[in-house]
Each structure stands twice: as structure tokens, then as C-alpha cells.
Amino acid sequence: MRKFLGHVKRKDIRINKPLKIGIIGAGRGVGTTYLAMMAANFCANFKGFKTALVECNNNKDYMKICNETSNMGTDMYDFLYKNIQFISEATPKKIAQLELKGYHRIIFDCSVDYELGFIEFFRCDVRIVVCSTQLYKIGCTKKLLSDVKDIPVKAVVFCADKKAKAKIEKDFKRVIKDIPIEYNSLYIKPETCNWISQLLELSDEK
């Protein structure tokens, strides 16, 4: 005699996807890496998220950080410092693998002149454009803001010329927030943490 057990529910096994934050700048020297490191510091050390910071540009700044801060033998392309996993020379394969490693937040440090960085920026959940009011970078800022006009992004600027900033805001109908000044992006003040929290608008869910 058969015994009817009824319907057995299958337990779903799911890996939570990390929230991805893309930060892209209007050229080199506008404060993109500076902001990306502050955001990573905030996520890792103030919110307790397992955080990766991915270099999607040709600057090789993370390798310099590794050389200055780590012992010999450390992998300069993938190393942990101040509770942040620094990934340099990113590839599509590396990025895909990161999503399976249990990170809560992955921050992309992108550049407009690096194709992979531009592509990953558009795939992110939170997107931040770092503008510039420097005379020789205003054109790049306008081009970048035009390229992202149809998607939700936030705009910020570092050490802005107020008049030039106001004109860009008027032309593109966007509010551009001023990035706080910190002498070390890995040691940030409480008020800077509050500013980053408001900028990212992230929940505390992991």
C-alpha cells in the first residue's frame, strides 16, 4: 500500500546579489578615485559591508597603493587593505567572479576613456558622475552628462568654480553636490560619512 506524502516544497538556495555602485569621472584628476575610496571606506568600515573596490580605468593607482602599504608577496592586482578588497586591471571574468564571492557592495571606479568601465557603470544599481568645472574639462563634463541624460544618476563635483557649476546645473537641469574635502580618503570625518550616506541612499540590508 502506497503512502501519500503530499507535495514536498523545495527549499530555494539563493546567493544574494551585491549592490553595485558605479562612479565615473569626466577625465583624470577630477576626484573619481578619491570619492570611490571614501565610498568604499564608508561601506566597509562604517556600515560593516563586505566591500570590493574595482579599478575600471587605466590609471593603475591601486597598484601604487599596494606598493606603498603592503608586504612583499602580496598580489598587487587583488589585495585587502583597511577592510576593502582592491581589484586592479579588472576584466569581465574578474567582475563576474566577484558577484559570487559574497560581497555586499561592489564599487566601480570608472573612467570615460576606458570601455569596460563605461559599460559597467551603466550596469550599476547606483550611478554617480564626477563632474569638473576646470576650463579644459568642462567639455568632457558636458559630454558625459549628455551621455547619461536618460538614466538615473547623481552628479557631484570637487573644488568647483561656483559660477561654472551653476551654469552646468542650469544647462542640464541637474543638482550637482560638492564633494567634501578630506586629506585622506580612508580616514573620513563623521560629517563626511553623513554626506556619503545621503549621496548613496543605501539600506542597511546585506
Side-chain angles (χ1 to χ4, degrees):
M1 179 177 166
R2 293 180 182 176
K3 186 176 181 180
F4 178 66
L5 297 176
H7 177 68
V8 178
K9 291 184 177 180
R10 186 185 68 183
K11 185 177 180 181
D12 290 330
I13 300 175
R14 292 183 292 178
I15 298 174
N16 290 333
K17 282 190 173 183
L19 188 137
K20 296 191 287 187
I21 301 165
I23 302 174
I24 194 167
R28 185 157 190 186
V30 301
T32 313
T33 298
Y34 169 79
L35 178 59
M37 289 179 65
M38 286 204 298
N41 184 18
F42 172 79
C43 289
N45 296 307
F46 290 86
K47 287 296 186 179
F49 295 130
K50 184 179 179 182
T51 303
L53 180 56
V54 183
E55 189 173 42
C56 280
N57 55 57
N58 284 315
N59 299 344
K60 304 186 186 302
D61 288 332
Y62 297 3
M63 294 170 66
K64 297 171 189 173
I65 292 170
C66 182
N67 289 334
E68 291 293 330
T69 61
S70 301
N71 296 322
M72 294 296 292
T74 299
D75 182 355
M76 67 176 59
Y77 301 103
D78 188 345
F79 64 95
L80 184 69
Y81 181 65
K82 299 293 184 184
N83 299 318
I84 301 164
Q85 195 70 33
F86 286 79
I87 311 292
S88 62
E89 296 198 356
T91 63
K93 181 180 178 180
K94 274 188 181 181
I95 292 169
Q97 289 173 336
L98 279 177
E99 296 193 11
L100 301 176
K101 291 186 176 181
Y103 288 102
H104 305 125
R105 302 290 183 263
I106 301 178
I107 299 170
F108 293 88
D109 178 0
C110 305
S111 172
V112 291
D113 57 0
Y114 191 74
E115 185 177 7
L116 178 62
F118 208 69
I119 292 169
E120 287 302 325
F121 175 78
F122 278 89
R123 290 176 176 164
C124 286
D125 304 294
V126 178
R127 307 177 194 92
I128 300 166
V129 171
V130 183
C131 305
S132 176
T133 58
Q134 297 177 50
L135 183 61
Y136 57 95
K137 293 220 173 116
I138 286 180
C140 188
T141 291
K142 291 180 178 179
K143 173 68 167 57
L144 181 54
L145 290 175
S146 295
D147 288 341
V148 301
K149 66 179 180 180
D150 296 324
I151 63 170
V153 300
K154 297 179 180 182
V156 297
V157 67
F158 184 66
C159 295
D161 176 88
K162 292 182 179 180
K163 187 176 179 180
K165 175 189 166 186
K167 187 175 188 313
I168 295 170
E169 288 179 317
K170 182 180 178 181
D171 290 345
F172 289 90
K173 297 179 173 59
R174 285 190 182 274
V175 174
I176 302 176
K177 296 184 177 181
D178 291 293
I179 302 172
I181 296 175
E182 290 283 3
Y183 293 106
N184 187 333
S185 53
L186 294 177
Y187 293 91
I188 55 179
K189 299 187 288 289
E191 50 267 35
T192 300
C193 288
N194 292 335
W195 183 88
I196 295 171
S197 179
Q198 292 173 16
L199 177 69
L200 300 181
E201 294 182 333
L202 303 181
S203 71
D204 290 331
E205 293 183 7
K206 294 186 177 179

